[in-house]
Structures are given as C-alpha cells and as structure tokens.
Amino acid sequence: MIFLNMAAHNDLGKWGEEKATQYLIDKGYNILKRNWRVRHRDLDIVAIDGDELVIVEVKTRRNQVFTTPESAVDWRKIRSLTFATHQFLKVNRINANIRFDIITVTGTDDENCTIQHIKDAFLPARI
C-alpha cells in the first residue's frame, strides 16, 4: 500500500512539472534543463526569461486543504536550491542575472488545475 501511495505522489509531481514546463514555454521562456541533479539536490526547471536565468521550484498538490504548495519552500529548501544553483552555474560556466521563482500546480487533472507563478519568490541563501 505504501508503494502505491508513493507512486501516485511521484506521478502527481511529474504531471505538475509537465504542466509548469508547458506554462513557461507558452509564456515564452526557453527551457534549458529539467530535473538537473547534483548529489541529492535538484533543480526542477532551469529556464531563460529575457536576460535572466530563472530557477523554478515546482510544487504540486491535489488541493490546498492542509497547506499551500508554496509554503513547502522553507529555509532548508532555499538553502538546497541555492547550493544546487551555485553548482549548476559552476559546471555550466554561466554568469547571468538569476531569479528564483515558484510555480504551484494545484489539482489532479488537466481540466481541473490551477497554476500560480510567483516570480522572484525568494532570495538565495548564504552558502
């Protein structure tokens, strides 16, 4: 039973990332990477918006009964995203203006979901 719930959770997350990616493409963003990993940290979406490199954290939830999706981006997650971004820049030898966004996808199917894009959602942590 636990494995089925985890599989459903993973499927929901993948679906949410697909929705967020398509949303960004429709808004004119250039997607550079998806699910970029360094050690146990990852960046959901790395994109270009104009002259900015945008690191997008995607949070998907079935509903907002217990908490809003964006509230899951706490100081630990921000620190992890900052470290992963630093490594991404280093590995790819990128020097650019950086922005951290959050996209929340709430729902369970294409017809009944809402997408919220929070630009400049947080500042990077000191590492």
Side-chain angles (χ1 to χ4, degrees), residues 33-52:
K33 297 283 183 186
R34 291 184 55 195
N35 298 309
W36 188 85
R37 294 195 173 281
V38 57
R39 298 184 197 154
H40 63 279
R41 295 175 172 101
D42 72 305
L43 301 175
D44 291 339
I45 301 172
V46 180
I48 298 288
D49 178 29
D51 64 346
E52 290 183 304

Side-chain angles (χ1 to χ4, degrees), residues 4-110:
L4 293 175
N5 289 338
M6 185 56 94
H9 172 75
N10 289 341
D11 289 345
L12 183 66
K14 288 179 185 176
W15 170 78
E17 287 187 16
E18 287 293 329
K19 296 295 290 180
T21 299
Q22 190 57 54
Y23 168 87
L24 291 170
I25 291 169
D26 291 347
K27 296 290 183 186
Y29 287 63
N30 180 20
I31 306 301
L32 297 180
K33 297 283 183 186
R34 291 184 55 195
N35 298 309
W36 188 85
R37 294 195 173 281
V38 57
R39 298 184 197 154
H40 63 279
R41 295 175 172 101
D42 72 305
L43 301 175
D44 291 339
I45 301 172
V46 180
I48 298 288
D49 178 29
D51 64 346
E52 290 183 304
L53 182 72
V54 184
I55 306 301
V56 182
E57 177 65 11
V58 180
K59 291 297 178 188
T60 307
R61 297 289 186 274
R62 291 183 186 284
N63 56 53
Q64 293 189 16
V65 171
F66 295 109
T67 183
T68 60
E70 65 272 16
S71 67
V73 182
D74 61 8
W75 67 271
R76 287 178 198 90
K77 186 62 177 177
I78 291 170
R79 187 174 61 192
S80 179
L81 290 168
T82 301
F83 177 83
T85 300
H86 178 73
Q87 294 303 310
F88 180 84
L89 296 172
K90 196 168 151 181
V91 165
N92 293 286
R93 298 177 185 194
I94 295 173
N95 183 11
N97 294 324
I98 303 167
R99 187 177 83 215
F100 291 91
D101 292 2
I102 298 172
I103 291 184
T104 64
V105 180
T106 306
T108 57
D109 61 55
D110 291 346

